[in-house]
């Protein structure tokens, strides 16, 4: 899995680092995928980072799409890195390089990938996606309210069909736990867009108000 900085294909990924959503934002996390995580979640009514991957927040532009199946969140490119401050001192007098301006550590990253430590996976073909969704559906159904299960089954099939149709354009991500059986995040570039849009299964996320 890719966790480092991006070289020539900069538009496909980014350096990852834990970020914090803004105060008052709604944070989204996956349902825990193990009994240990489930117990940790049930013991508290407060959001715990180790109870499931934090994947997004409502501090980013978003919309509900695909008959209510998806939450689509717009990413943006940002520049991060060390900031050099000119103190007015003579670099050579301080033993520094005369050409001090040539060592920029700035890096261009996608804000959502960077903030939530999303880890890009390899390419997923049709068989790979269908195999993942088969196991994922079995595990996620136990977290859906009983009176919502029939509607969810309809919504999720519409969403899966759309993702399979987009497979050649998709980037696939796990959260920082890199659990391949947990809810994944998908991203694609809308026509003419310079930054990716991230796709989340809305029913597979737990909202926690900060």
């Amino acid at each position: 899995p890719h966790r480092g900085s991006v070289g020539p294909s900069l538009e496909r990924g980014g350096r990852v680092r834990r970020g914090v959503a803004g105060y008052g934002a709604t944070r989204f996390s996956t349902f825990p995928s193990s009994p240990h995580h489930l117990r940790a979640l049930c013991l508290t009514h407060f959001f715990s980072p180790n109870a499931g991957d934090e994947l997004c927040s409502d501090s980013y532009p978003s919309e509900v799409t695909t008959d209510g199946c998806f939450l689509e969140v717009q990413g943006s490119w940002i520049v991060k890195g060390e900031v050099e401050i000119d103190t007015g001192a003579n670099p050579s007098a301080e033993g520094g390089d005369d050409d001090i301006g040539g060592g920029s550590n700035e890096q261009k990253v996608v804000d959502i990938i960077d903030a939530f430590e999303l880890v890009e996976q390899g390419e997923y073909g049709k068989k790979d996606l269908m195999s993942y969704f088969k196991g994922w559906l079995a595990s996620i159904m136990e977290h859906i309210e009983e009176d919502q299960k029939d509607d969810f089954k309809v919504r999720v099939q519409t969403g899966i069909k759309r993702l399979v149709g987009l497979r050649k354009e998709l980037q696939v991500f796990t959260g920082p736990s890199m659990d391949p059986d947990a809810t994944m995040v998908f991203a694609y570039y809308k026509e003419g867009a310079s930054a990716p849009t991230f796709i989340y299964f809305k029913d597979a996320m737990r909202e926690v108000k900060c």
Side-chain angles (χ1 to χ4, degrees):
H2 173 74
R3 291 188 66 88
S5 58
V6 176
S9 58
L10 185 61
E11 70 276 9
R12 287 294 186 182
R15 182 170 176 267
V16 294
R17 178 184 59 81
R18 172 57 99 193
V20 181
Y23 177 78
T26 300
R27 298 183 180 188
F28 299 100
S29 64
T30 61
F31 288 107
S33 58
S34 72
H36 172 73
H37 283 164
L38 184 59
R39 287 196 297 272
L41 186 64
C42 291
L43 288 174
T44 179
H45 295 289
F46 300 97
F47 176 77
S48 174
N50 65 1
D53 290 335
E54 187 177 354
L55 297 178
C56 192
S57 82
D58 65 359
S59 60
Y60 301 91
S62 64
E63 62 178 334
V64 177
T65 68
T66 319
D67 297 330
C69 182
F70 292 150
L71 179 70
E72 295 198 31
V73 184
Q74 184 57 52
S76 299
W77 288 98
I78 59 173
V79 177
K80 57 179 288 186
E82 295 180 9
V83 177
E84 294 179 0
I85 301 175
D86 185 1
T87 63
N90 183 348
S92 59
E94 296 180 354
D97 249 344
D98 289 337
D99 189 21
I100 195 169
S104 173
N105 289 319
E106 289 185 349
Q107 187 176 26
K108 191 176 179 184
V109 298
V110 176
D111 52 3
I112 293 174
I113 295 174
D114 184 68
F116 299 99
E117 294 188 359
L118 302 185
V119 183
E120 187 171 1
Q121 307 301 298
E123 292 185 7
Y124 272 61
K126 183 175 181 179
K127 289 184 178 180
D128 300 317
L129 284 172
M130 296 308 294
S131 176
Y132 162 71
F133 286 132
K134 182 179 179 180
W136 174 77
L137 279 172
S139 65
I140 202 64
M141 285 301 295
E142 64 185 78
H143 299 289
I144 306 299
E145 295 291 339
E146 195 63 39
D147 61 352
Q148 293 293 319
K149 287 186 175 181
D150 289 340
D151 289 341
F152 170 72
K153 289 176 182 178
V154 174
R155 285 195 302 272
V156 78
Q157 291 302 326
T158 302
I160 288 173
K161 183 178 179 180
R162 183 181 169 206
L163 287 175
V164 171
L166 282 170
R167 64 188 180 277
K168 293 182 180 179
E169 306 171 44
L170 284 181
Q171 289 173 270
V172 181
F173 298 88
T174 62
S177 69
M178 295 187 286
D179 183 351
D181 298 319
T183 297
M184 290 193 191
V185 181
F186 304 89
Y188 72 106
Y189 282 73
K190 293 181 178 178
E191 186 175 355
S194 60
T197 296
F198 293 82
I199 297 176
Y200 301 83
F201 279 97
K202 188 173 181 294
D203 293 291
M205 295 192 294
R206 183 182 299 271
E207 293 187 23
V208 179
K209 298 286 186 179
C210 296

